[in-house]
């Protein structure tokens, strides 16, 4: 099964993709995660993307397409994959379609996670993760049970994403509306678009996804 998760930053795509990965044994392919590891490793690709990401802009289609297609070529995703954060522009969606046709791969569902912008600013600016295991927390909605100690692994170091500040979030949201939203109708016209209410609690959104996927 191959899925595309669509939704603005903060909609919960990464959280749900991790659940889908564990539950269905399909591979999460997040272009945001790939870019962050390129930046962390100091690679040339990371250097090219870093500034745009910090300003909340979109990295060029060419760079994204080379990166994701090469990852898809070298990954073992026989059971399928979840595309998280890709495609984000019409040229990316069209290039993906072409590549899928050439390789005889089918997308089963494109799932849009619907949320309110204002709630996203609060969600994103309050989120942080354990540096050790990547477990996600939030200043208001999900604090560790013991202050400053990770529930999952006992780690005591936490990190926040460099682009999770109010100004950058607003720019990421406006990019979403201008450049990514048009691909919702692109997939609607193909008849593979489904949607879930991303404003619900994490478990509730997961239940909706299960219903959609069947
Ligand atoms: P994300 O983790 O999906 O929120 O992505 C973090 C940042 O990486 C975005 O704000 C963009 O700067 C960049 N990025 C991730 N995926 C894409 C994409 N498909 N196209 C362009 N830029 C992207």
């Amino acid at each position: 099964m191959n899925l595309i998760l669509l939704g603005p930053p903060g909609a919960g795509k990464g959280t749900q993709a991790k659940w889908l990965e564990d539950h269905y044994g399909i591979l999460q392919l997040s272009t945001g995660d790939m870019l962050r590891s390129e930046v962390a490793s100091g690679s040339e690709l990371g250097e090219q993307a870093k500034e745009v990401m910090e300003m909340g802009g979109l990295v060029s289609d060419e760079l994204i397409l080379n990166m994701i297609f090469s990852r898809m070529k070298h990954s073992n995703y026989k059971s399928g994959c979840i595309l998280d954060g890709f495609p984000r522009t019409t040229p990316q969606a069209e290039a993906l379609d072409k590549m899928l046709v050439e390789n005889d791969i089918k997308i089963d569902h494109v799932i849009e996670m619907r949320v309110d912008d204002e709630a996203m600013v609060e969600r994103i600016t309050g989120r942080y993760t354990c540096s050790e295991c990547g477990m996600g927390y939030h200043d208001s909605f999900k604090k560790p049970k013991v202050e400053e100690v990770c529930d999952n692994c006992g780690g005591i170091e936490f990190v926040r994403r460099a682009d999770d500040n109010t100004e950058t979030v607003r720019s990421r949201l406006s990019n979403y509306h201008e450049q990514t939203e048009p691909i919702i109708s692109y997939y609607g016209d193909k008849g593979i678009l489904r949607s879930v209410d991303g404003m619900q609690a994490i478990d509730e959104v997961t239940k909706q996804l299960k219903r959609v996927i069947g």
Side-chain angles (χ1 to χ4, degrees), residues 185-203:
S185 50
Y186 175 87
Y187 287 117
D189 292 345
K190 289 178 180 288
I192 51 172
L193 182 72
R194 307 281 176 274
S195 71
V196 296
D197 177 4
M199 293 305 292
Q200 303 295 316
I202 292 174
D203 290 353

Side-chain angles (χ1 to χ4, degrees), residues 20-213:
L20 291 164
E21 186 172 59
D22 292 344
H23 197 77
Y24 292 98
I26 52 181
L27 183 68
Q28 176 194 14
L29 291 170
S30 154
T31 43
D33 285 351
M34 289 173 203
L35 290 168
R36 278 183 289 280
S37 42
E38 294 289 345
V39 171
S41 74
S43 70
E44 200 187 319
L45 197 158
E47 284 301 310
Q48 286 168 25
K50 190 168 184 266
E51 206 176 314
V52 179
M53 291 172 75
E54 278 172 1
M55 308 224 330
L58 287 185
V59 174
S60 77
D61 289 335
E62 191 191 355
L63 188 153
I64 293 289
L65 291 167
N66 285 336
M67 180 181 77
I68 185 81
F69 291 167
S70 128
R71 180 65 66 93
M72 289 174 88
K73 209 160 131 194
H74 296 109
S75 297
N76 181 5
Y77 61 101
K78 276 199 204 98
S79 322
C81 69
I82 309 145
L83 294 174
D84 159 12
F86 173 82
R88 247 178 166 100
T89 63
T90 305
Q92 289 181 18
E94 289 170 351
L96 174 65
D97 265 352
K98 187 164 172 276
M99 186 282 262
L100 294 172
V101 169
E102 281 166 10
N103 291 281
D104 200 18
I105 303 171
K106 180 173 155 266
I107 295 289
D108 298 279
H109 304 288
V110 177
I111 306 172
E112 180 202 1
M113 302 181 66
R114 280 182 288 98
V115 288
D116 300 336
D117 274 16
E118 276 318 304
M120 291 310 99
V121 177
E122 194 191 357
R123 264 198 201 177
I124 296 179
T125 53
R127 70 186 182 181
Y128 58 97
T129 52
C130 169
S131 320
E132 199 66 40
C133 70
M135 181 80 158
Y137 295 96
H138 193 280
D139 293 330
S140 316
F141 311 130
K142 191 189 166 200
K143 295 179 183 167
K145 292 193 185 87
V146 177
E147 209 177 322
E148 293 180 21
V149 180
C150 175
D151 299 346
N152 188 45
C153 74
I156 52 165
E157 301 276 334
F158 296 89
V159 276
R160 287 175 195 262
R161 273 172 52 171
D163 58 349
D164 277 354
N165 57 74
T166 309
E167 201 185 327
T168 309
V169 170
R170 294 218 181 270
S171 148
R172 287 157 65 199
L173 285 168
S174 91
N175 282 329
Y176 179 79
H177 294 302
E178 280 167 27
Q179 310 219 47
T180 310
E181 235 164 35
I183 68 178
I184 294 176
S185 50
Y186 175 87
Y187 287 117
D189 292 345
K190 289 178 180 288
I192 51 172
L193 182 72
R194 307 281 176 274
S195 71
V196 296
D197 177 4
M199 293 305 292
Q200 303 295 316
I202 292 174
D203 290 353
E204 187 47 45
V205 179
T206 305
K207 278 191 201 146
Q208 292 180 52
L209 283 173
K210 276 206 259 185
R211 261 180 252 132
V212 164
I213 293 166

